[in-house]
């Protein structure tokens, strides 16, 4: 006879879970947390005349790690990815003291700071996690969770994007095959080699 409160979203282990599923809520939460950390460190990150490389190292360790926390398990949609990329571009421009009027490419600014592009970093994380799960025994519960089928009424239109679809897209982009994941060092080399 216990009544449970029904809420549209809640925080669990640092991630925000929404009633509709997907990563919309958690992506928003990651962006908010990253901006909070960036603003906290802005006296260091936005100071003019400081070394870009040192700024980049501080950004990677303190801000980018907050922004990408848990992303290796997300079934990422384009809208969520654009939100995270937009956030990173704004931060990078701010650190470099560059506005949109200066017409500088974000890739060049990332290179100046020594910061990896967010899409590549997230791809690396997903493939690294996929390799880890692939190497687990089939009896392991983490591995078994990938094959769980949830019974539900199918709505009209395309089905919800799954994590494995994202991984397949990542492997296709780098020309990898799932069978290679069992070879840890080789898999790691392929992932790192496919990144700029």
């Amino acid at each position: 006879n216990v009544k449970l409160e029904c809420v549209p979203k809640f925080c669990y282990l640092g991630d925000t879970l929404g009633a509709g599923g997907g990563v919309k809520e958690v992506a928003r939460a990651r962006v908010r947390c990253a901006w909070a950390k960036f603003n906290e460190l802005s006296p260091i990150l936005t100071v003019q005349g400081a070394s870009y490389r040192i700024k980049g190292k501080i950004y990677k360790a303190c801000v980018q790690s907050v922004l990408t926390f848990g992303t290796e398990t997300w079934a990422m949609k384009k809208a969520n990815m654009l939100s995270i990329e937009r956030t990173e571009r704004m931060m990078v421009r701010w650190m470099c003291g560059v506005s949109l009027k200066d017409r500088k490419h974000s890739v060049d600014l990332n290179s100046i700071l020594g910061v990896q592009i967010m899409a590549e970093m997230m791809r690396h994380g997903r493939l690294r996690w996929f390799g880890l799960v692939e190497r687990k025994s089939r009896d392991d519960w983490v591995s078994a969770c990938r094959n769980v089928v949830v019974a539900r009424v199918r709505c009209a239109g395309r089905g919800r994007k799954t994590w494995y679809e994202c991984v397949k897209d990542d492997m296709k982009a780098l020309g990898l095959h799932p069978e290679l994941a069992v070879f840890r060092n080789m898999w790691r080399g392929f992932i790192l080699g496919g990144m700029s």
Side-chain angles (χ1 to χ4, degrees):
N1 297 324
V2 177
K3 288 189 177 180
L4 299 174
E5 183 186 359
C6 188
V7 294
K9 62 182 178 180
F10 68 96
C11 184
Y12 179 71
L13 296 177
D15 273 346
T16 304
L17 304 176
V23 298
K24 183 179 177 184
E25 294 297 338
V26 70
R28 281 184 187 165
R30 289 287 104 219
V31 167
R32 277 195 305 271
C33 291
W35 271 119
K37 186 53 73 175
F38 186 87
N39 290 331
E40 187 183 320
L41 295 168
S42 62
I44 301 167
L45 295 176
T46 60
V47 68
Q48 296 300 313
S51 165
Y52 288 127
R53 288 291 170 176
I54 291 173
K55 283 184 184 182
K57 285 179 181 179
I58 294 169
Y59 172 77
K60 281 193 289 188
C62 302
V63 180
Q64 202 175 48
S65 59
V66 170
L67 191 57
T68 59
F69 175 76
T71 55
E72 55 271 347
T73 60
W74 293 2
M76 187 69 75
K77 289 184 179 177
K78 282 185 181 177
N80 308 128
M81 190 68 225
L82 288 173
S83 168
I84 289 171
E85 285 179 333
R86 186 168 46 247
T87 299
E88 187 192 41
R89 282 195 300 267
M90 288 169 68
M91 290 177 178
V92 165
R93 286 182 185 282
W94 198 354
M95 283 189 288
C96 293
V98 171
S99 70
L100 289 172
K101 292 176 185 175
D102 297 319
R103 302 185 70 81
K104 298 249 178 149
H105 290 285
S106 297
V107 177
D108 297 335
L109 298 177
N110 278 41
S111 178
I112 290 169
L113 293 168
V115 174
Q116 197 176 358
I117 295 169
M118 189 61 67
E120 290 181 359
M121 191 171 178
M122 292 169 85
R123 176 189 295 151
H124 175 233
R126 261 194 308 271
L127 289 173
R128 197 181 68 235
W129 177 251
F130 172 75
L132 181 74
V133 174
E134 276 292 295
R135 288 188 294 274
K136 287 185 175 291
S137 70
R138 297 297 165 202
D139 301 331
D140 188 272
W141 68 271
V142 174
S143 185
C145 282
R146 293 185 299 164
N147 302 319
V148 171
V149 178
V150 180
R152 61 188 172 102
V153 178
R154 183 170 169 78
C155 300
R158 187 198 186 282
R160 188 170 283 157
K161 189 172 187 178
T162 64
W163 172 78
Y164 190 60
E165 284 179 56
C166 294
V167 171
K168 283 198 286 191
D169 291 342
D170 293 337
M171 286 190 289
K172 187 176 179 182
L174 296 181
L176 298 175
H177 299 286
E179 305 83 42
L180 298 172
V182 295
F183 306 106
R184 186 175 184 272
N185 291 333
M186 188 187 296
W187 185 250
R188 184 177 172 81
F190 283 137
I191 293 170
L192 294 173
M195 298 166 65
S196 58

